[in-house]
Amino acid sequence: MPSGISDLTRPIDLRRRALRRRRWIVIASVLAVVVLIVAAVQLIGYSSLVAVREVEVQGAGLATPAQIRTAAQVPEGTPLARVDLQQVGDRVAALPPVAEVQVHRSWPHTITVVVTERTAVLQLRNGSRYLWVDAGGVVFHTSNRVDPKLPTALADQGNRRLLTELATTVDSLSATLRTQLDHIEAPGADRIVLVLTGNRTVIWGNSSQSAAKSTVATAMLATKATVYDVSAPDHPTAK
């Protein structure tokens, strides 16, 4: 009997020791992972080994790379992981020519800023200067020279609604109207007037039904007149 009992307890004791070894292996593995995570956090979050050494700018144009870097305010030496990308993007987006901005980390040492600039659809004449306006009615650039590719308008640069109405109107103009357009006068959002070459005018009204107004006005140019009124495109007049 004693011999039988000994034969049974030996395997049980071996299994217990194996379980204890496995538990220690698991505990050691978990501790090793924790140590690695802590080391990685320290390396990424605080080490100069992965710090900012460069701010790369893509898509610069009216806003120069230097201006974008200055606006971004990313100090060299800041750990890459600790740079607030949202704040960097917000600061760059405040530059007038910037329509959209994306900011991301390019490991191990670079913050990349990708900008999309606004597109001018018209220019406001302001004395000897010309202010570029985008489709949303935002004035984003001042030039000392007229751009022959952009329609010119006379309007209040501080009236965002009016500028948006003008942008919508300009976007609808046919090639014929654009070719014959001298400038646009807009004392108010409901009083847009196209001034054509040859001392002719097109009373446009506001920007509603602009596509229809453009079609009607283009067709009416075949009629000799000095004033074309398409403010109500279903009932146009010419005189």
Side-chain angles (χ1 to χ4, degrees):
M1 282 298 290
S3 175
I5 293 172
S6 176
D7 289 343
L8 290 172
T9 57
R10 188 176 297 111
I12 293 172
D13 186 54
L14 289 173
R15 285 197 296 272
R16 286 175 178 170
R17 279 185 285 179
L19 286 172
R20 283 197 295 270
R21 280 198 300 272
R22 283 197 292 269
R23 280 198 292 268
W24 279 112
I25 290 172
V26 171
I27 291 171
S29 299
V30 171
L31 288 174
V33 170
V34 170
V35 169
L36 288 173
I37 291 174
V38 171
V41 169
Q42 291 293 320
L43 175 65
I44 295 173
Y46 298 95
S47 173
S48 60
L49 295 176
V50 285
V52 176
R53 295 182 186 174
E54 180 185 5
V55 176
E56 179 184 357
V57 176
Q58 299 176 9
L62 294 174
T64 67
Q67 289 172 328
I68 292 171
R69 291 190 184 97
T70 299
Q73 297 179 28
V74 181
E76 188 173 319
T78 302
L80 214 62
R82 300 180 69 183
V83 175
D84 190 321
L85 302 186
Q86 182 64 52
Q87 289 187 4
V88 172
D90 289 345
R91 289 192 289 265
V92 173
L95 292 172
V98 175
E100 297 179 3
V101 59
Q102 295 179 336
V103 184
H104 58 267
R105 300 177 180 89
S106 300
W107 299 94
H109 302 299
T110 304
I111 292 293
T112 301
V113 181
V114 183
V115 300
T116 301
E117 293 199 331
R118 301 181 188 277
T119 300
V121 296
L122 64 101
Q123 58 194 337
L124 300 179
R125 191 163 67 212
N126 183 12
S128 61
R129 301 183 304 164
Y130 295 86
L131 313 179
W132 290 8
V133 181
D134 74 354
V138 176
V139 177
F140 65 93
H141 178 65
T142 301
S143 175
N144 293 323
R145 294 184 297 177
V146 63
D147 187 331
K149 295 177 293 186
L150 294 175
T152 300
L154 301 176
D156 178 4
Q157 69 185 75
N159 188 333
R160 178 75 177 273
R161 182 203 162 194
L162 171 57
L163 299 185
T164 303
E165 296 268 346
L166 280 172
T168 301
T169 298
V170 165
D171 186 57
S172 73
L173 296 182
S174 67
T176 299
L177 287 172
R178 284 178 175 269
T179 300
Q180 299 186 39
L181 180 66
D182 183 77
H183 67 278
I184 303 172
E185 296 180 357
D190 298 314
R191 293 183 290 160
I192 298 172
V193 176
L194 310 185
V195 179
L196 307 181
T197 57
N199 197 31
R200 297 167 298 160
T201 58
V202 179
I203 299 174
W204 200 268
N206 57 34
S207 67
S208 65
Q209 297 181 278
S210 276
K213 291 174 181 179
S214 178
T215 300
V216 171
T218 301
M220 291 181 71
L221 292 181
T223 302
K224 188 174 182 180
T226 56
V227 178
Y228 305 93
D229 189 338
V230 295
S231 56
D234 294 333
H235 304 284
T237 62
K239 59 181 181 180

